[in-house]
Amino acid sequence: MKNKVGTVLVKRGMAEMQKGGVIMDVVNADQARIAEKAGAVAVMALERVPSDIRKAGGVARMADPTIIEEVMKAVSIPVMAKARIGHIVEARILEAMGVDYIDESEVLTPADEEYHLLKSAFTVPFVCGCRDLGEAARRIGEGAAMLRTKGEPGTGNIVEAVRHMRKVNAQVRRVVAMNEDELMTEAKLLGAPYEILLQIKKNGRLPVVNFAAGGVATPADAALMMELGADGVFVGSGIFKSENPAAFAKAIVEATTNYKDYKLLAEISKNLGAPMVGIEISSLSSADRMQDRGW
Amino acid sequence: MTKIGILALQGAVREHAAAIRKCGVEAVEVKSAEELQYIDGLILPGGESTTMRRLIDTYDMLKPLKRFISVDKPVFGTCAGLILLARSIEGQEENHIGMMDIVVRRNSYGRQIQSFEANLNIKDIGQDFPGVFIRAPHIVKVGEGVEILCEHDGKIVMARQDSLLACAFHPELTDDNRAISYFVKMVRASIIARNKL
C-alpha cells in the first residue's frame, strides 16, 4: 500500500480543518506564540503586515526565509506564507522549506501580470484571493485548494471583503439555481471553467472553503463575515496593529466561533482598546488598490 | 430518535454531520456544555487541537465532557479529536480530556506536504478503507483496556477503549461511511444498554 501525497483531497481537506477558525498575520516568533495562545488555527508568516507594506511602498516580495523558519519553530499550528502572483520560484522555495500552505497573494507585488501559478503542479496546497465567482473558479481551476475574499488588505475597512463575499455567494446561488443547459453561457460570461461551475451546481456550494480576508479589524467584523457565509477569517494588520494584540486576537477567535451570540459579542468587545486605524477606500488611488492585482 | 452531536467549536463539523445523516441518524452541533445532555453520542472532529482546547476552556466544557464520557456515552475522536481524548501527548506536560489510555504524537508524519492518502485494513470495519491523513497524529502506545483496530506502516492509527473510539485519519472527508456507521452502532448499543439499567 503506497501513500499518496499532495492529492486534491489532502490539500482541500487541510483547509476544511481550518473552518470556523482565525488565521493571523505575524512577523516574528513572539507574535506567532501570541496568536497560537489566543487560539489561532494557523499563522501567516510575513516580513511586514499589509498596512506596513502600504506605508513602505516599493516592491513587496516573499518574506526572508529566516522569519518563516523562526515562526515554524515557534508554533505547532500550521504556518502559511505568501508568494507573489505568478512567482513560480518563490512558491517552490516556500514548498521546499515545508511551509504548510502558500498564499499566492495580491498583497505582494505581482511577478506576472498575465498568468497565475499552476497550483495543481505543487505538493503544497494554495490559497488565493477572489472578488467574484469567475476569479474564484479560475483559481480553483489552476489548483487552489482554498479561497479567501480579497477585500482591501491593510485598510482595516471591511467594506470590500463584504462586497466580495456577497458577490461570490450570490453568484454561487445563481449557478445552483440554473438549468444545466444554461451553464456554458454562464461560464463564458463569468470567465469561469465550465467543469467547476458544474461541480458547484451538483454540490450546491463551492468545492473548496472560502475565508474572509482584507479589512477585518474588530470582533464584530469577523462575526459579520461569518454571518455572510465565510468559512473562517484571516486577520492581517487588525491584530498586531491594535492597541492590545493578545486581547484582540482572543476576542476575534471567540467572535468567529460564536458569531450569532450577540450578547457574548458585546461582552468580548468591551475594553479591548483601540483597533487599528482604518482607511476610507475612496481615498486610495487606483495604484494603491491591491485587490485589482490578479487576473 | 438517536441523536449524535459534533463538537462545533472549530474544524470539519459539516462533513461529520453529513456522514451521520447518511446513516439515518440526527446530527446536532454542540457549542455549549448544556447541549451535551440532549445527545446520545459525540464526535470530536478534526481541526486544530490547540484551538479547540482554548475554546473548550473558554466555554467551561472540559468537566462536562469528562462527565459525558464517564457515564459511558460513546465518543469518537478523529485526528485532533484523538489528541483531545489521549491520556498523554508526547512533548507536552498537559493532556486535554485525557480519558483514553493512549499516548499520542502530534504531527507525527511531518508537515502538510507529507499529508497523504492510503488504503487501510481496519478490524471490524473492513478492507481498503480510504484513509486521509492530514498533519496527522499517531498512537505511540496503548494501555491494557485498549483494542488496536488499525495499524499503517507500523503505526497505530485507530483504536477503541470501551465507549471511546479514536482514529488519526479523516473518515468524514470520504464517501466511505463504514467508520461512521461503526460508531453509530456503538451509540445505538449504548442506548439499549442504558435503557436496561
Side-chain angles (χ1 to χ4, degrees):
Chain A
M1 280 181 290
K2 217 172 165 293
N3 297 343
K4 285 176 284 183
V5 297
T7 63
V8 170
L9 194 55
V10 156
K11 289 174 172 178
R12 290 182 181 175
M14 159 76 197
E16 300 284 349
M17 296 311 137
Q18 304 265 297
K19 270 187 307 196
V22 182
I23 299 166
M24 301 181 191
D25 279 4
V26 299
V27 299
N28 57 43
D30 286 341
Q31 290 188 355
R33 280 186 213 104
I34 290 171
E36 185 176 49
K37 194 158 175 248
V41 289
V43 289
M44 177 79 71
L46 293 161
E47 206 155 315
R48 297 192 189 100
V49 295
S51 66
D52 286 339
I53 290 176
R54 274 185 192 286
K55 277 187 212 142
V59 174
R61 311 177 179 91
M62 174 186 84
D64 181 335
T66 321
I67 294 172
I68 299 167
E69 265 175 17
E70 188 190 311
V71 169
M72 284 166 65
K73 276 187 203 135
V75 293
S76 66
I77 54 177
V79 176
M80 302 186 171
K82 289 184 195 291
R84 281 180 269 178
I85 291 173
H87 205 306
I88 302 164
V89 173
E90 280 188 354
R92 286 292 181 193
I93 291 171
L94 294 174
E95 182 180 52
M97 289 175 64
V99 162
D100 295 297
Y101 234 93
I102 297 176
D103 185 359
E104 186 184 19
S105 178
E106 67 282 2
V107 169
L108 305 181
T109 311
D112 191 323
E113 294 198 330
E114 208 169 345
Y115 303 111
H116 280 254
L117 295 166
L118 181 63
K119 292 163 279 287
S120 54
F122 288 73
T123 305
V124 67
F126 282 82
V127 55
C128 285
C130 62
R131 290 166 300 178
D132 56 43
L133 184 55
E135 207 170 20
R138 289 195 296 280
R139 298 296 86 82
I140 296 168
E142 292 154 359
M146 178 184 199
L147 294 170
R148 53 170 177 75
T149 59
K150 284 181 162 175
E152 191 51 54
T155 60
N157 189 338
I158 199 68
V159 67
E160 295 300 305
V162 167
R163 189 192 319 281
H164 302 159
M165 187 56 71
R166 279 200 184 270
K167 183 86 183 272
V168 170
N169 287 341
Q171 290 173 317
V172 166
R173 283 195 298 271
R174 194 179 135 81
V175 164
V176 172
M178 276 181 157
N179 287 330
E180 216 171 297
D181 54 13
E182 297 167 333
L183 282 186
M184 186 57 84
T185 298
E186 185 70 0
K188 182 183 82 175
L189 295 173
L190 290 173
Y194 171 74
E195 288 71 22
I196 306 288
L197 294 193
L198 201 60
Q199 272 180 41
I200 291 170
K201 165 137 192 76
K202 281 188 176 144
N203 300 331
R205 58 178 184 84
L206 288 167
V208 302
V209 300
N210 189 15
F211 273 46
V216 176
T218 66
D221 286 348
L224 170 64
M225 295 313 298
M226 295 299 288
E227 182 100 39
L228 291 175
D231 289 308
V233 178
F234 281 88
V235 190
S237 321
I239 287 168
F240 291 99
K241 288 290 162 188
S242 71
E243 206 171 77
N244 187 346
F248 254 83
K250 189 164 179 287
I252 288 179
V253 169
E254 271 191 66
T256 303
T257 308
N258 283 288
Y259 62 95
K260 278 188 187 294
D261 188 339
Y262 306 115
K263 276 187 186 153
L264 183 85
L265 290 176
E267 283 306 310
I268 61 181
S269 299
K270 283 179 186 167
N271 300 316
L272 284 177
M276 70 178 286
V277 179
I279 299 173
E280 162 56 32
I281 303 294
S282 59
S283 71
L284 291 176
S285 72
S286 61
D288 289 332
R289 282 166 61 90
M290 292 174 173
Q291 60 174 285
D292 297 334
R293 300 163 167 178
W295 10 96
Chain B
M1 190 180 170
T2 309
K3 232 190 238 185
I4 295 181
I6 303 134
L7 187 68
L9 299 176
Q10 190 270 317
V13 177
R14 181 177 65 208
E15 291 74 12
H16 269 300
I20 290 167
R21 286 183 194 121
K22 256 200 252 169
C23 296
V25 173
E26 193 178 339
V28 289
E29 291 190 7
V30 172
K31 288 196 179 203
S32 71
E34 202 213 336
E35 289 162 316
L36 287 172
Q37 56 186 302
Y38 306 114
I39 55 172
D40 306 302
L42 178 70
I43 289 182
L44 305 172
E48 284 304 318
S49 61
T50 48
T51 306
M52 285 189 210
R53 175 56 196 275
R54 308 277 177 234
L55 292 166
I56 285 172
D57 287 345
T58 303
Y59 304 118
D60 290 324
M61 289 184 78
L62 194 62
K63 270 192 192 156
L65 284 167
K66 288 183 179 178
R67 221 176 296 132
F68 186 88
I69 293 171
S70 66
V71 298
D72 288 337
K73 287 197 177 175
V75 176
F76 184 12
T78 60
C79 196
L82 172 147
I83 296 166
L84 292 180
L85 284 175
R87 174 177 58 77
S88 165
I89 304 157
E90 275 191 356
Q92 278 176 229
E93 276 178 27
E94 206 192 356
N95 62 13
H96 304 301
I97 298 168
M99 288 176 74
M100 189 164 179
D101 194 6
I102 55 177
V103 181
V104 298
R105 182 179 302 160
R106 292 183 62 201
N107 299 333
S108 74
Y109 296 88
R111 305 196 70 95
Q112 170 60 16
I113 45 174
Q114 277 101 30
S115 292
F116 64 95
E117 286 181 56
N119 282 339
L120 308 172
N121 296 328
I122 310 175
K123 185 173 179 285
D124 301 337
I125 290 180
Q127 307 277 313
D128 287 328
F129 188 89
V132 184
F133 293 80
I134 297 174
R135 286 171 47 90
H138 92 276
I139 301 170
V140 180
K141 223 165 50 184
V142 301
E144 263 182 23
V146 181
E147 185 185 14
I148 295 167
L149 297 181
C150 182
E151 286 183 70
H152 177 70
D153 287 348
K155 289 179 173 178
I156 304 167
V157 295
M158 188 165 194
R160 176 174 176 178
Q161 176 187 336
D162 304 319
S163 63
L164 300 177
L165 184 67
C167 68
F169 48 93
H170 293 280
E172 77 282 6
L173 291 181
T174 71
D175 293 329
D176 194 318
N177 234 12
R178 284 178 288 170
I180 306 280
S181 305
Y182 178 87
F183 179 64
V184 169
K185 269 183 222 148
M186 281 172 61
V187 174
R188 288 200 169 120
S190 90
I191 294 173
I192 293 166
R194 257 184 295 132
N195 286 344
K196 275 186 191 158
L197 287 177

